[in-house]
């Protein structure tokens, strides 16, 4: 356990870390990749380039410092991190690398303000957190390897089917190359795909499983990632899977992970599922599984995207709606006016729009999508005082980022 002195010192640094968090984490990643390039395959270069990884880590450090005397409030974040680490095969031997570079970065960025007492306190605090994470990650590895059809590490899968879902999304149906049993998963979870780069190094990406559990394949639906700024490259893995991954080809996949999952204990409770763009992938799995648990379940599915051509699973959603009277699907298009009717509308997402669509505030809410979409939905549900146990979402970054956007609109 941490001593009261350590807790007091770490808490006293929270304001400084909040102020200089991104400077510290940018320095940290640059330092670690220079001193320990062997960890590069664990990180997404696009997230590094955009700064989202640095912001997420800065938020996590600040939250840990502020709540180190009440870690119960951070258990949700700890579970998210442990699941992400297990998906990437982070092991106990990686923690000393991160710890050494983090402590060195604190000293190098803060200078003389980083006294020996502060460095020693953070060393103890980091070690305490690392112990919590490695124990939970060991449980996840054990659960994945001991389950029927389970495994640990990476397993080769073969592409058996490839379907175009929209202008920029393709679905890949993957079966174990060894022909053995396939582990089931929780709807909403993701797998990690590992590919080899032209320079011989490997890189990994997480992709949500977009079909219901219990099939003899895993389906992932991959959005082609184009560079958002001129200095950044197109997404290597997504473009490789779109253009150069063909029927019969093999790829390495880690076991399913993730804590953004349908709560099966509430099978009779109304659902509101809200997706932004490719954020539909885990939600289509949740939708299918929810209807297997209770075909009569009341479900509203809202999909916000650019237009019909960019909308994945549009026909599949309406086919589900046609066979389930209690399911209602609404498409919200931001770019082109396709006219409006009961199933679609044109405009940006807003509280007024959501208020008109959502009549049952006692439902469970699940949502996933790009940051502006998430900010609007999160802000609306908070404004409606929806209890936290009814709100479920997947977001890369600190929750504080979701509270930074007005409720007016989102792309």
């Amino acid at each position: 356990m941490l001593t009261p002195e350590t807790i007091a010192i770490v808490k006293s640094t929270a304001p400084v870390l909040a102020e200089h968090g991104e400077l510290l984490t940018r320095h940290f990643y640059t330092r670690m990749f220079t001193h320990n390039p062997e960890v590069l395959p664990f990180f997404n270069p696009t997230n590094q380039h955009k700064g989202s990884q640095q912001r997420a880590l800065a938020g996590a450090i600040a939250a840990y410092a502020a709540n180190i005397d009440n870690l119960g409030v951070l258990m949700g974040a700890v579970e998210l991190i442990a699941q992400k680490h297990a998906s990437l095969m982070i092991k106990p031997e990686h923690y000393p690398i991160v710890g050494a570079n983090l402590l060195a970065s604190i000293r190098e960025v803060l200078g003389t303000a980083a006294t020996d007492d502060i460095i020693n306190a953070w060393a103890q605090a980091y070690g305490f957190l690392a112990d919590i994470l490695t124990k939970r990650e060991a449980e996840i590895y054990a659960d994945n390897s001991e389950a029927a059809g389970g495994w640990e590490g990476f397993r080769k899968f073969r592409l058996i089917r490839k379907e175009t879902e929209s202008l920029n999304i393709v679905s890949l149906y993957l079966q174990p190359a060894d022909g053995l049993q396939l582990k089931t998963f929780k709807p909403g979870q993701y797998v990690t795909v590992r590919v080899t780069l032209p320079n011989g190094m490997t890189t990994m990406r997480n992709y949500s499983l977009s079909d219901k559990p219990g099939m003899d394949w895993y389906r992932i639906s991959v959005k082609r990632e184009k560079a958002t700024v001129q200095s950044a490259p197109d997404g290597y893995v997504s473009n490789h899977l779109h253009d150069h991954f063909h029927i019969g080809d093999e790829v390495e996949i880690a076991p399913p992970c993730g804590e953004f999952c349908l709560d099966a204990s509430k099978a009779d409770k109304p659902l509101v599922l809200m997706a932004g763009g490719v954020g539909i992938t885990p939600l289509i799995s949740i939708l299918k599984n929810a209807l297997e648990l209770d075909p009569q379940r009341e479900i509203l599915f809202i999909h916000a995207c650019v237009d019909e051509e960019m909308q994945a699973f549009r026909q599949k959603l309406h086919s589900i709606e046609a066979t389930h009277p209690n399911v209602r699907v609404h498409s919200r298009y931001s770019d082109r006016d396709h006219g409006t009717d009961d199933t679609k509308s044109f405009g940006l997402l807003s509280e007024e729009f959501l208020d008109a669509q959502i009549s049952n505030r006692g439902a469970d809410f699940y949502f996933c999508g790009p940051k502006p979409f998430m900010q609007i939905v999160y802000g609306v549900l908070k404004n409606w005082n929806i209890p936290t146990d009814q709100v479920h979402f997947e977001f890369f970054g600190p929750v504080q980022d979701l509270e930074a956007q007005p409720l007016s609109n989102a792309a």
Side-chain angles (χ1 to χ4, degrees), residues 148-167:
W151 72 99
E152 183 173 350
F154 285 90
R155 183 179 179 185
K156 287 188 176 180
F157 279 66
R158 184 174 294 120
L159 181 66
I160 62 167
R161 191 163 133 206
K162 193 171 185 177
E163 287 184 347
T164 298
E165 303 291 358
S166 71
L167 282 181

Side-chain angles (χ1 to χ4, degrees), residues 67-288:
N67 295 283
I68 196 167
D69 56 344
N70 184 21
L71 293 180
V73 303
L74 299 178
M75 284 302 100
V78 167
E79 180 64 15
L80 185 152
I81 293 169
Q83 292 284 343
K84 181 68 72 173
H85 283 183
S87 78
L88 299 171
M89 299 297 137
I90 302 293
K91 294 298 178 69
E93 58 265 28
H94 297 121
Y95 279 87
I97 295 173
V98 173
N101 283 284
L102 179 61
L103 294 174
S105 296
I106 291 174
R107 192 179 289 279
E108 290 162 4
V109 170
L110 299 185
T112 57
T115 64
D116 288 345
D117 286 345
I118 288 177
I119 296 299
N120 291 336
W122 267 99
Q124 294 175 39
Y126 175 80
F128 182 73
L129 180 60
D131 185 60
I132 293 173
L133 287 168
T134 53
K135 287 178 179 176
R136 176 60 186 133
E137 288 154 19
E139 293 174 348
I140 297 170
Y141 290 132
D143 289 344
N144 280 333
S145 64
E146 294 168 7
W151 72 99
E152 183 173 350
F154 285 90
R155 183 179 179 185
K156 287 188 176 180
F157 279 66
R158 184 174 294 120
L159 181 66
I160 62 167
R161 191 163 133 206
K162 193 171 185 177
E163 287 184 347
T164 298
E165 303 291 358
S166 71
L167 282 181
N168 64 347
I169 295 176
V170 63
S171 282
L172 309 175
Y173 292 76
L174 303 155
Q175 283 185 330
D178 57 20
L180 299 178
Q181 185 177 357
L182 182 60
K183 179 186 183 297
T184 191
F185 61 92
K186 297 176 182 178
Q189 288 191 307
Y190 54 82
V191 292
T192 300
V193 173
R194 184 168 73 176
V195 301
T196 302
L197 298 169
N199 63 6
M201 293 183 66
T202 60
T203 188
M204 296 176 280
R205 298 292 184 272
N206 295 137
Y207 292 108
S208 295
L209 291 157
S210 60
D211 211 340
K212 64 183 180 182
M215 313 301 290
D216 62 355
W217 62 71
Y218 286 162
R219 184 178 74 181
I220 60 173
S221 302
V222 179
K223 176 187 174 185
R224 184 191 295 274
E225 297 292 347
K226 305 296 290 184
T228 54
V229 294
Q230 191 171 6
S231 59
D234 291 338
Y236 176 81
V237 176
S238 67
N239 282 273
H240 171 78
L241 294 176
H242 270 255
D243 299 332
H244 306 294
F245 190 52
H246 307 297
I247 304 299
D249 289 349
E250 295 181 355
V251 68
E252 293 183 305
I253 291 181
C257 287
E259 66 358 295
F260 175 64
C261 306
L262 177 66
D263 186 347
S265 69
K266 302 179 180 179
D268 59 345
K269 191 168 187 178
L271 274 180
V272 176
L273 308 178
M274 292 177 279
V278 74
I280 191 174
T281 52
L283 293 176
I284 196 79
S285 177
I286 287 174
L287 171 65
K288 287 186 171 185

Side-chain angles (χ1 to χ4, degrees), residues 19 45 91 148 163 186 227 233 273 301 314 318 359 366 373 388 411:
E19 181 181 355
K91 294 298 178 69
E163 287 184 347
K186 297 176 182 178
L273 308 178
F301 196 111
R314 184 167 64 90
H318 287 296
S359 58
Y366 290 77
F373 168 88
T388 56

